[in-house]
């Protein structure tokens, strides 16, 4: 029965995202009403009581078990851009015995072991499957109850949440003692308008959001963090690739090099974090850039980014809101902790977010503290939620499953290890005419990367 499914939408409190999640909730409930069925429970994760780590899901298992453990059969998780055919979803879940432990989803796997998964299953990474959240995934209530019990006696060990879908699958798998992910072909990430989706219970509706005209080039100030030792190899890559897309760009270093040119912020380079440098950049943006420039992007000198796509993405966000946008990681979320935007993929700030941060007096506890984590801590203390976009990437294209990247038009990648960064940029991130004409997903030849 439909009323036995609890739908959990991975929502966010930013106005753009919360509206999309509310629209999906309305659509699910309307489909249920049109069927004449008793309405299911549909929950938005960002509305769940004051839990900074709610997006990591596992800390909510005990609540799910207590609240829904007796009268429900399934908890179905999806993203705000997942589209659900309720009748087909009912038929699909109906194939599985809900009194047993099931972990269902569209299977992703690593083709080679990767740093973002701590080189797990190094001998053969393809053996371990984890769910593509965009397609939706489901846990049977007996498994939810088991996880709730396990979490009570065995709290989450890892301090960091880096790739949630992989970490949840590992926790459920329990070194082989728990259930593996069961692949479900009806959970799909094909575009909702694709001819392939007839059999699908779920589809995916958004490769790159666009909400009206892209923001102007002059609305984005780009700050590149560099240091003298990388002027010769990393900066030329930026100049060969994405620099021409940026109308306002400055390079911040520990040495003033007029040929680039770089600006010496008077802060020595450190081998660990760059908190001092980043806060100096925030101060400079606040005090010395035009107040009419609403957006700041801070990237590393080995970040590859599409400013062209970022302009589209930012059309969906209100610069009058405090926005802190990028790829979300978590620290210590099982025990309080905070979320943060990981720096290598690029950190995007609305001017008002920068102003609120600087007014708060929250600062680096040391000059070489990790800047992205300190920023996460500061914004958490201010009650300003970070905003996650899966289109920003802390690692290289080869570090992500092909199936995961297939439903994205990415905004950034990071690192130059063992790749040709110029080739990666022109394969994955460069604007091209077809894309700029109609916003459609384009067919890249990415197989050799």
């Amino acid at each position: 029965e439909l009323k036995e499914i609890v739908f959990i939408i991975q929502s966010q409190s930013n106005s753009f995202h919360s509206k999309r999640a509310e629209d999906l909730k309305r659509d699910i409930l309307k489909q249920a009403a049109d069927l004449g069925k008793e309405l299911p429970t549909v929950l938005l994760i960002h509305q769940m009581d004051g839990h900074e780590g709610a997006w990591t899901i596992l800390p909510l298992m005990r609540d799910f078990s207590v609240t829904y453990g007796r009268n429900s059969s399934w908890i179905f998780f999806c993203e705000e851009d997942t589209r659900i055919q309720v009748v087909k979803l009912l038929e699909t879940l109906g194939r599985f015995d809900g009194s047993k432990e099931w972990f269902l989803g569209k299977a992703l796997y690593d083709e080679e072991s990767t740093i973002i998964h701590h080189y797990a299953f190094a001998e053969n990474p393809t053996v371990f499957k984890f769910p593509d959240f965009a397609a939706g995934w489901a846990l049977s209530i007996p498994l939810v109850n088991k996880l709730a019990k396990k979490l009570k006696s065995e709290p989450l060990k890892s301090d960091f949440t880096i790739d949630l879908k992989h970490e949840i699958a590992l926790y459920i798998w329990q070194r082989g003692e728990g259930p593996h992910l069961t692949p479900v072909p009806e959970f799909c990430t094909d575009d909702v308008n694709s001819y392939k989706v007839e059999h699908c219970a779920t589809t995916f509706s958004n490769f790159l959001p666009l909400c009206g005209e892209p923001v102007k080039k002059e609305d984005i100030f780009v700050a590149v963090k560099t240091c003298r030792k990388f002027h010769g190899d990393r900066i030329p890559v930026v100049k060969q690739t994405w620099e021409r897309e940026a109308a306002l760009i400055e390079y911040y270093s520990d040495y003033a090099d007029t040929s680039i040119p770089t600006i010496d912020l008077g802060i020595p380079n450190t081998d660990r974090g760059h908190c001092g440098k980043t806060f100096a950049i925030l101060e400079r943006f606040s005090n010395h850039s035009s107040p009419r420039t609403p957006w700041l992007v801070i990237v590393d000198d080995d970040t590859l980014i599409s400013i062209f796509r970022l302009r589209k993405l930012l059309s969906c966000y209100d610069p009058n809101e405090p926005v802190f946008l990028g790829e979300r990681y978590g620290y210590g979320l099982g025990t309080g902790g905070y979320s943060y935007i990981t720096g290598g993929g690029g950190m995007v700030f609305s001017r008002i977010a920068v102003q609120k941060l600087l007014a708060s007096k929250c600062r680096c506890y040391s000059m070489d503290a990790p800047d992205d984590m300190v920023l996460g801590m500061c914004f958490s203390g201010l009650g300003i939620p970070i905003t996650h976009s899966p289109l920003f990437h802390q690692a290289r294209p080869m570090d992500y499953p092909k199936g995961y990247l297939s439903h994205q038009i990415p905004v950034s990648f990071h690192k130059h290890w063992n790749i040709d960064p110029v080739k990666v940029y022109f394969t994955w991130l460069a604007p091209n005419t077809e894309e700029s004409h109609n916003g459609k997903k384009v067919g890249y030849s990415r197989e050799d990367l």
Side-chain angles (χ1 to χ4, degrees), residues 411-432:
V411 166
S412 71
F413 289 104
H414 177 227
K415 301 280 189 211
H416 293 175
W417 301 333
N418 301 329
I419 56 167
D420 176 344
V422 175
K423 190 174 181 187
V424 167
Y425 173 80
F426 282 105
T427 306
W428 287 88
L429 296 166
N432 87 4

Side-chain angles (χ1 to χ4, degrees), residues 239-342:
K239 290 186 175 291
Q240 281 178 65
T241 55
W242 59 266
E243 184 195 65
R244 69 198 76 171
E245 295 179 50
L248 306 171
I249 183 168
E250 288 185 345
Y251 295 87
Y252 298 109
S253 182
D254 54 349
Y255 173 73
D257 181 337
T258 52
S259 69
I260 293 173
T262 59
I263 293 163
D264 180 1
L265 291 169
I267 293 169
N269 189 53
T270 56
D271 287 334
R272 294 184 352 140
H274 303 111
C275 196
K277 181 186 284 186
T278 296
F279 270 83
I281 291 169
L282 294 170
E283 298 271 7
R284 186 179 171 90
F285 173 74
S286 181
N287 298 327
H288 297 292
S289 67
S290 164
R292 290 192 300 278
T293 306
W295 298 104
L296 168 67
V297 184
I298 300 181
V299 293
D300 292 346
D301 51 11
D302 59 347
T303 301
L304 299 166
I305 190 165
S306 171
I307 302 296
F308 175 75
R309 292 180 192 163
L310 180 61
R311 288 169 51 210
K312 289 185 175 184
L313 181 62
L314 288 180
S315 70
C316 297
Y317 295 95
D318 180 353
N320 298 311
E321 283 183 34
V323 178
F324 182 33
L325 170 71
E327 184 182 17
R328 174 179 54 196
Y329 280 10
Y331 176 73
L333 288 172
T335 52
Y338 53 89
S339 306
Y340 64 99
I341 297 298
T342 178

Side-chain angles (χ1 to χ4, degrees), residues 36 41 43 46 92 106 178 218 230 237 257-258 290 298 327 349 369 383 390 416 441 447:
T41 300
L43 303 173
H46 82 275
T92 302
K106 179 188 176 186
E218 297 72 24
F230 294 131
V237 172
D257 181 337
T258 52
S290 164
I298 300 181
E327 184 182 17
F349 306 78
H416 293 175
K441 186 173 189 316
E447 290 305 308

Side-chain angles (χ1 to χ4, degrees), residues 354-389:
V354 174
Q355 289 166 342
K356 283 179 178 287
L357 175 70
L358 295 177
S360 75
K361 307 295 185 215
C362 186
R363 294 293 185 275
C364 309
Y365 53 83
S366 68
M367 294 300 267
D368 67 347
D371 52 350
D372 48 7
M373 294 180 73
V374 170
L375 287 167
M377 205 160 36
C378 289
F379 279 116
S380 174
L382 283 167
I384 295 173
I386 66 153
T387 302
H388 170 67
S389 168

